[in-house]
Amino acid sequence: MWLLSGPLTNQSKTVHFFWSRTGIEVYCNIPRQRGKRAEMDGDVAVGVKRGSDELSMYSSSSSTMAANGGDTKKQRLDDPPPSRVLHIRKLPSEVSETEVIALGLPFGKVTNILMLKGKNQAFLELGTEEAAITMVNYYTAVTPQVRNTPVFIQYSNHKELKTDSALNQRAQAVLQAVSAVQDGSSPSSDAGIVELAPPPSPVLRIIIDNMFYPVTLDVLQQIFSKFGTVMKIITFTKNNQFQALLQFSDPVNAQQAKLSLDGQNIYNSCCTLRIDFSKLVNLNVKYNNDKSRDYTRPDLPTGDGESTTKDHSLLGTPSGALASYSSGGGYSSSLSLSQSSGAISPLSAAAAAAAAAGRVALSGTGVSGVLLASNLNDEMVTPQSLFTLFGVYGDVQRVKILYNKKDSALIQLADGNQAQLAMSHLNGQKIFGKVMRVTLSKHQTVALPREGLDDQLLTKDYSGSPLHRFKKPGSKNFQNIFPPSATLHLSNVREGIGEDDLRLLFSNTGGTVKAFKFFQDRKMALIQMTSVEEAIQALIDLHNYDMGGNHHLKVSFSKSTI
């Protein structure tokens, strides 16, 4: 066993790092003190309270501890003061350095890391104490997770990490690349840090595994632009998997993105990024639309499919759902602060970007899939109308209009993510002349009435409906989830149906058609009503409308204007 560095001394505590054949061992000399046990939630504790000292548990034998002047029993300490060094425990055995670093990225610059994989633990050093305080406070309300496993984060007793980078090469290499991204520079090589191999290409091939929620071209641009200038993106489906080719302006940026993002989840527990270098060195993009885009050529035609807009920024933050943190290192992120949000994936900045874009909310396990819609027009609303409208954002299982309060209804969706997505888009929208309010319900399910008791047909079970939009993972419907808008996207238009036919059909819903545009194949079209309320009414009335010849019209909200 060899001494890794000089002792770290903090008041009466002396800590030594040693290198052995089994990894890094840490031993300490700590006098006995009395303290508080960590507050535990099952097997997870979050916050500043702690039980045994973070370092006393690293002893491999009682004799070694005694030789260093310690006691063989675990020591108790009072709560430590805030420190920019954080101690992370209960990590999965297969955890990577990038995943640990990613926990701290949204809160500030990460300046050092020490992995203790044999102990399933790590130390993470942030650039400032304020950043560490923000991180601990956030993860007090939201359980931190790595690879779907809850982990424990608390302040360390140490004010800084002193590690020998020659014996911590991979962690330092990852940290070097991430730091370069935060500083806006390129990684450099010095004596103590392993030099990364030259990147073979500026083009990355991205595969999305476990795709249960939408991953659009705009979401990919938001995620990868954190690492450099994204020039071109092409998305496609191959072997029933959603894939993309993404070209950076510099191969070094592609290397940084691959190093930091490979294996991460975009959304909580799903949409896992698998990233490799492409054999291509340049992408040829012919059209700017929702499947491909050349950010250096805004003059390209849209081709087939829905036209793109000039502004590819986020579509806005759902009201009351998100709060913004500034990292101080050029890496900003919006993070959900709701107590009920549960775990946030390690790629929190990407997930927040997607949430702000209206694709998915940051929710975790235990979040109810049942919504309460209130202030409804009780003379007009029906279970079917609510099924159609809420079905734009999730697979509605059951709808129940309350018997004693018919201006309110319970809507059960397939899961909590879909429920929060629907809530973020539909709360405050005007339907049947009244502003609808949508909140999460305390109910976990919508109960069906006993047979013969629902004489007013206020409850409907849609669990087996063929009209669910999101049953199939990777469906194009995942890529077309947008907030309610005055412009509607029509698909599955029957051959022979013209513009005048569709204008008349939509005028009969009580609104006025402001503009119309067919796509080249005339199977899809855009139709613009004079208001969002009119568009909502038209969607409720005409989605799945039978046009004859086994053609049912599909209607969804569009992000485009005509």
Side-chain angles (χ1 to χ4, degrees):
M1 183 173 291
W2 300 273
L3 180 65
L4 180 72
S5 73
L8 292 176
T9 302
N10 183 3
Q11 295 176 353
S12 60
K13 299 174 285 297
T14 303
V15 182
H16 297 269
F17 291 79
F18 288 90
W19 172 257
S20 71
R21 290 194 175 101
T22 59
I24 299 173
E25 303 277 349
V26 185
Y27 300 95
C28 57
N29 179 6
I30 306 171
R32 181 186 298 275
Q33 297 184 40
R34 300 184 64 85
K36 300 178 182 178
R37 293 186 62 85
E39 291 184 342
M40 302 297 292
D41 180 12
D43 291 331
V44 183
V46 178
V48 299
K49 293 188 177 181
R50 57 199 290 129
S52 300
D53 179 67
E54 66 197 31
L55 296 177
S56 65
M57 65 186 71
Y58 301 153
S59 173
S60 59
S61 70
S62 58
S63 60
T64 307
M65 277 294 291
N68 282 278
D71 194 288
T72 58
K73 296 182 180 179
K74 293 183 179 180
Q75 310 298 316
R76 306 291 186 193
L77 293 178
D78 292 329
D79 294 345
S83 166
R84 65 190 183 98
V85 179
L86 299 178
H87 180 214
I88 305 171
R89 297 194 282 123
K90 298 182 181 289
L91 288 164
S93 57
E94 69 277 12
V95 69
S96 67
E97 291 86 350
T98 56
E99 290 170 296
V100 176
I101 293 172
L103 285 169
L105 279 181
F107 305 96
K109 184 173 182 178
V110 178
T111 54
N112 209 346
I113 181 174
L114 175 65
M115 298 292 293
L116 301 171
K117 290 191 174 183
K119 305 294 184 181
N120 300 102
Q121 301 179 20
F123 288 92
L124 196 66
E125 180 185 274
L126 275 70
T128 65
E129 187 175 292
E130 290 75 16
I133 292 172
T134 301
M135 180 173 171
V136 169
N137 288 344
Y138 175 73
Y139 285 129
T140 301
V142 177
T143 304
Q145 285 199 357
V146 176
R147 300 201 178 198
N148 304 325
T149 301
V151 299
F152 183 109
I153 298 177
Q154 61 196 60
Y155 296 120
S156 168
N157 281 318
H158 309 288
K159 297 301 182 183
E160 63 178 344
L161 283 180
K162 295 181 180 178
T163 56
D164 186 339
S165 58
L167 299 177
N168 197 17
Q169 287 188 345
R170 173 168 172 78
Q172 290 299 320
V174 175
L175 184 63
Q176 179 194 18
V178 173
S179 297
V181 174
Q182 292 178 320
D183 294 337
S185 61
S186 296
S188 60
S189 176
D190 52 43
I193 298 179
V194 65
E195 184 173 359
L196 302 178
S201 169
V203 180
L204 296 176
R205 182 174 69 105
I206 304 160
I207 299 175
I208 309 295
D209 288 337
N210 196 23
M211 182 171 164
F212 289 106
Y213 290 98
V215 178
T216 67
L217 184 148
D218 287 334
V219 168
L220 290 173
Q221 195 272 343
Q222 287 290 333
I223 295 170
F224 284 85
S225 63
K226 300 293 183 184
F227 299 88
T229 302
V230 175
M231 299 180 67
K232 305 172 185 178
I233 306 178
I234 298 174
T235 63
F236 56 94
T237 301
K238 184 178 181 181
N239 299 327
N240 293 322
Q241 281 187 311
F242 179 82
Q243 301 188 27
L245 293 172
L246 186 146
Q247 181 177 340
F248 280 100
S249 59
D250 191 320
V252 172
N253 300 137
Q255 183 181 51
Q256 293 166 356
K258 179 182 183 300
L259 189 62
S260 296
L261 298 179
D262 186 30
Q264 299 281 2
N265 292 333
I266 296 178
Y267 304 142
N268 197 25
S269 306
C270 66
C271 298
T272 305
L273 291 166
R274 302 297 179 196
I275 304 173
D276 289 305
F277 287 106
S278 171
K279 295 179 180 178
L280 301 172
V281 294
N282 184 54
L283 297 179
N284 182 22
V285 177
K286 297 181 179 179
Y287 303 110
N288 281 343
N289 53 35
D290 290 335
K291 296 180 180 178
S292 62
R293 194 164 298 155
D294 186 337
Y295 294 94
T296 68
R297 292 282 310 277
D299 58 312
L300 289 178
T302 60
D304 294 335
E306 187 169 326
S307 62
T308 187
T309 59
K310 292 182 180 179
D311 182 12
H312 306 304
S313 61
L314 296 181
L315 301 177
T317 302
S319 176
L322 299 171
S324 181
Y325 279 143
S326 176
S327 68
Y331 196 109
S332 62
S333 172
S334 294
L335 300 175
S336 174
L337 297 179
S338 170
Q339 288 274 358
S340 63
S341 292
I344 186 171
S345 77
L347 194 54
S348 53
R359 271 83 178 185
V360 68
L362 299 178
S363 70
T365 58
V367 178
S368 170
V370 180
L371 297 173
L372 173 63
S374 57
N375 199 41
L376 302 171
N377 185 330
D378 56 6
E379 295 182 355
M380 299 289 293
V381 72
T382 64
Q384 183 64 38
S385 64
L386 293 174
F387 166 76
T388 302
L389 179 58
F390 282 77
V392 173
Y393 302 106
D395 291 337
V396 176
Q397 306 298 303
R398 293 175 181 176
V399 178
K400 181 185 187 71
I401 295 176
L402 304 185
Y403 182 80
N404 294 321
K405 190 174 174 54
K406 292 185 175 60
D407 67 345
S408 300
L410 295 173
I411 301 100
Q412 180 180 337
L413 289 101
D415 59 42
N417 282 303
Q418 293 182 2
Q420 287 196 358
L421 182 61
M423 178 178 66
S424 68
H425 284 315
L426 296 178
N427 181 42
Q429 296 292 341
K430 204 170 185 180
I431 170 176
F432 300 125
K434 299 188 71 174
V435 176
M436 177 174 61
R437 301 300 176 195
V438 184
T439 60
L440 286 173
S441 170
K442 63 182 179 180
H443 297 284
Q444 296 299 311
T445 60
V446 172
L448 294 175
R450 284 179 292 182
E451 189 174 353
L453 294 183
D454 188 14
D455 55 353
Q456 298 185 38
L457 302 178
L458 298 177
T459 305
K460 190 73 181 290
D461 185 2
Y462 294 99
S463 57
S465 174
L467 300 182
H468 287 158
R469 297 180 187 238
F470 308 107
K471 290 186 295 184
K472 182 180 178 182
S475 165
K476 290 183 179 180
N477 290 330
F478 284 112
Q479 302 176 41
N480 293 291
I481 301 175
F482 303 109
S485 65
T487 305
L488 297 170
H489 181 268
L490 315 181
S491 60
N492 205 34
V493 178
R494 199 188 86 183
E495 186 177 355
I497 298 295
E499 177 179 339
D500 292 341
D501 299 317
L502 291 170
R503 280 180 174 269
L504 178 61
L505 182 64
F506 278 78
S507 296
N508 288 338
T509 64
T512 302
V513 176
K514 185 178 178 181
F516 182 90
K517 176 187 175 181
F518 259 127
F519 291 118
Q520 291 179 357
D521 59 4
R522 299 181 71 84
K523 294 180 180 179
M524 296 189 295
L526 294 177
I527 191 164
Q528 187 172 337
M529 311 300 288
T530 56
S531 69
V532 175
E533 182 184 4
E534 288 184 2
I536 289 175
Q537 182 68 60
L539 182 144
I540 289 173
D541 291 346
L542 295 177
H543 178 61
N544 204 48
Y545 177 80
D546 189 355
M547 307 185 74
N550 199 30
H551 274 73
H552 289 78
L553 184 66
K554 306 301 180 186
V555 185
S556 59
F557 296 113
S558 172
K559 69 174 181 179
S560 302
T561 56
I562 303 173

